[in-house]
Amino acid sequence: MPFPPPSRKALFLHSLAFFLFSFSLARPAHAQHCTVSPKSVNLGDTLRITCPPDFTSVSFNGRSAKLFLQPDGKRYGLFPISVKDSPGAASLSFSRQDDPKPMLLSVIIRKTVFPSQNVNLSPEIEALHSTPEEMALLTAFKEKISDTRAWQDPLAVPVSGCMTSPFGVKRLHNGKPTGEYHGGVDQRTPAGEPIRAVAAGTVTFAQQFNVLGNAVGIDHGQGLESMYLHMSRLVATPGAQVQRGDTLGYAGSTGRSTGPHLHWVLYVNGINVNPAQWIKLQPCPRASKSR
């Protein structure tokens, strides 16, 4: 028994479906969109960005970050929100290859209130200052962006102690404002406890500084770096490859410090970011005076 011929409506719907399918195949790669996570952040947080392969960088507020090609063929990158950025709606600009017109995506930067914290320092410790050579080394460390990614989520906690001083607090020394904020976190750590790498990477420096004490800096690749301060003794050596959880040195109170603890810092593309967004840290019931 022969089938009846299709109606005009059926022919139209079939033609429309075929056209839409063909159009979807013919769309250029940049018709796909980048994604940003999270879409609402505090000052000091990190944005994670995924894009099609023809996008190469993202920029905001005069800063730009490279998007790196990943094994799955997509581009991925980290973008830091500085404590100095302004709260409100923020427009990220995405650049792609061979196309001068950027793509724009919006995120919300939440108003973030950082408390003040006073640290009492002896005259000898307060008088410590970084040398020009030390400042140049730290600047070069923060500006270096290597292409090979060594880190993976989740990051490891460098020590087991609770947090005595969170990221972002406004620092006072002996009751006087310093104009500085706490760029990392402090964890209560007994003298001699091993300090461990939060992720795999390459040791950029391992040496003594006037203010930082015995310190180690690690390049984890694709914009992520970490730094560990005030150690009593160093184990890591410059140029060494370390794995997540490897011992870098031992806790102490060297440099501008009032007692044994670990002060550690995360940098994303040269900007201090809040480690608490990456690793869950428990605040101490009563804050230690060791800084």
Side-chain angles (χ1 to χ4, degrees):
M1 179 178 179
F3 291 100
S7 66
R8 290 184 178 181
K9 181 177 180 180
L11 289 172
F12 172 77
L13 293 175
H14 176 78
S15 299
L16 178 62
F18 180 78
F19 171 78
L20 293 175
F21 175 74
S22 301
F23 177 75
S24 67
L25 294 178
R27 284 185 301 173
H30 64 246
Q32 304 174 50
H33 292 296
C34 297
T35 60
V36 178
S37 179
K39 297 184 182 299
S40 180
V41 291
N42 291 325
L43 296 173
D45 280 354
T46 302
L47 296 172
R48 295 171 180 247
I49 295 165
T50 303
C51 285
D54 58 333
F55 286 86
T56 57
S57 65
V58 56
S59 60
F60 165 69
N61 204 16
R63 306 190 304 275
S64 64
K66 183 177 178 179
L67 300 175
F68 298 89
L69 194 62
Q70 304 298 310
D72 62 1
K74 297 179 181 179
R75 296 270 180 177
Y76 182 81
L78 303 172
F79 195 88
I81 299 300
S82 170
V83 296
K84 298 179 181 180
D85 288 331
S86 298
S91 184
L92 304 178
S93 177
F94 295 83
S95 299
R96 58 171 77 97
Q97 298 169 348
D98 304 321
D99 191 338
K101 185 178 179 180
M103 185 188 82
L104 301 178
L105 281 178
S106 293
V107 296
I108 299 299
I109 302 175
R110 295 188 290 262
K111 182 179 179 180
T112 312
V113 178
F114 297 109
S116 297
Q117 186 180 55
N118 181 58
V119 180
N120 292 316
L121 301 175
S122 68
E124 296 79 11
I125 293 178
E126 189 176 18
L128 294 173
H129 295 285
S130 299
T131 67
E133 294 77 15
E134 291 173 344
M135 295 299 294
L137 187 155
L138 294 173
T139 298
F141 170 68
K142 290 188 288 185
E143 291 179 349
K144 179 183 178 182
I145 307 296
S146 55
D147 290 344
T148 303
R149 175 175 168 175
W151 64 274
Q152 298 294 333
D153 288 314
L155 302 186
V157 181
V159 292
S160 59
C162 58
M163 182 172 58
T164 61
S165 183
F167 173 88
V169 295
K170 301 169 186 176
R171 277 292 171 85
L172 292 82
H173 288 169
N174 300 325
K176 299 177 181 178
T178 64
E180 301 175 351
Y181 71 94
H182 198 225
V185 297
D186 289 345
Q187 286 184 259
R188 182 174 290 161
T189 311
E193 179 174 342
I195 307 299
R196 305 185 186 280
V198 298
T202 303
V203 177
T204 302
F205 63 82
Q207 69 177 62
Q208 185 178 21
F209 293 80
N210 285 345
V211 174
L212 310 183
N214 290 322
V216 171
I218 301 177
D219 176 13
H220 303 288
Q222 297 189 1
L224 183 66
E225 295 175 304
S226 61
M227 191 165 63
Y228 314 78
L229 315 179
H230 306 305
M231 286 186 268
S232 61
R233 181 166 64 91
L234 299 172
V235 173
T237 57
Q241 303 293 315
V242 296
Q243 299 301 315
R244 179 181 184 271
D246 282 355
T247 298
L248 307 173
Y250 297 92
S253 183
T254 55
R256 187 181 286 173
S257 171
T258 61
H261 73 292
L262 173 64
H263 176 185
W264 63 284
V265 185
L266 277 186
Y267 293 104
V268 168
N269 292 300
I271 301 294
N272 302 63
V273 297
N274 191 352
Q277 190 193 16
W278 293 73
I279 300 174
K280 187 175 182 180
L281 299 169
Q282 294 295 332
C284 295
R286 298 181 65 182
S288 167
K289 294 182 181 180
S290 298
R291 301 286 182 267

